Amino acid sequence: MPIDLRQVAAISGMSGLFRIVKPTRTGVIVESLEEQPKTVVAQARHRMSLLDEISIYTTDEEGTIALAEVFDRLHQKYGDSLPVSEKPDNSELKRFMEEALPEYDEDRVYVSDMKKLVSWYDIVNKFVGFTKAEAEAAPEAAEENAPEAEEGKKKAKKAK
């Protein structure tokens, strides 16, 4: 299961990514994902996009792939650091995309999108982390063992 990006947002006009803290009457309180986080109110006039709702165009049958799935693939393939320079040029970004996501649609995925992908991956990796999918699997395993634990409790009560 890919990483959970439901509480992470990009806000137009503001650089970086933000974690949604809570809604207000006039907008949403967000916290910047950076070394020294700042709390800001994103008002209704700001265009906010949840990363969970963003997809990348592909040439396969589906037509798109969720950003969380792309991040998961990148993390499995490259780990914590992507093989791009700090300020990559257009050709380097295109080579990276061809390597990382060969089925991406070259006509509809622009270089600016690739820059955001690399930038956002670094921020998400540093401040959100990729352990959430693993942590969500653990409660599911506990739920599967729950009926056995209940039976054990019932038998213990009957033995008394």
Side-chain angles (χ1 to χ4, degrees):
M1 180 175 185
I3 186 169
D4 183 15
L5 297 174
R6 290 179 288 193
Q7 297 299 312
V8 180
I11 302 173
S12 65
M14 297 182 184
S15 63
L17 295 176
F18 299 84
R19 181 185 325 272
I20 297 173
V21 177
K22 69 179 189 177
T24 66
R25 287 184 299 156
T26 59
V28 179
I29 297 173
V30 294
E31 180 181 76
S32 61
L33 293 175
E34 53 191 23
E35 290 297 327
Q36 296 180 352
K38 298 175 195 121
T39 304
V40 181
V41 176
Q43 298 176 349
R45 64 183 166 94
H46 293 110
R47 276 190 41 216
M48 185 172 14
S49 301
L50 294 175
L51 265 57
D52 190 51
E53 297 173 352
I54 296 174
S55 297
I56 294 179
Y57 291 113
T58 60
T59 56
D60 61 5
E61 296 171 2
E62 295 288 320
T64 62
I65 184 170
L67 186 62
E69 179 67 29
V70 173
F71 281 173
D72 193 43
R73 285 186 187 185
L74 292 175
H75 186 69
Q76 288 175 3
K77 188 169 185 171
Y78 301 111
D80 291 341
S81 61
L82 298 177
V84 292
S85 62
E86 193 171 315
K87 299 231 178 196
D89 61 355
N90 294 355
S91 62
E92 183 181 359
L93 285 168
K94 288 179 182 181
R95 276 193 308 268
F96 166 71
M97 281 300 288
E98 289 169 1
E99 223 178 88
L101 191 65
E103 67 271 16
Y104 87 98
D105 189 342
E106 296 176 29
D107 295 332
R108 298 194 293 177
V109 178
Y110 303 110
V111 173
S112 60
D113 300 327
M114 296 174 201
K115 287 179 183 177
K116 284 181 193 174
L117 176 71
V118 171
S119 171
W120 289 355
Y121 178 84
D122 289 337
I123 294 170
V124 167
N125 185 44
K126 191 171 186 179
F127 297 104
V128 177
F130 286 89
T131 57
K132 291 187 181 215
E134 296 161 11
E136 288 175 4
E140 292 173 7
E143 288 174 12
E144 291 174 6
N145 294 332
E148 295 168 6
E150 280 296 317
E151 288 177 27
K153 288 179 186 177
K154 289 177 184 177
K155 288 180 183 177
K157 285 182 182 178
K158 287 181 183 177
K160 290 181 181 179

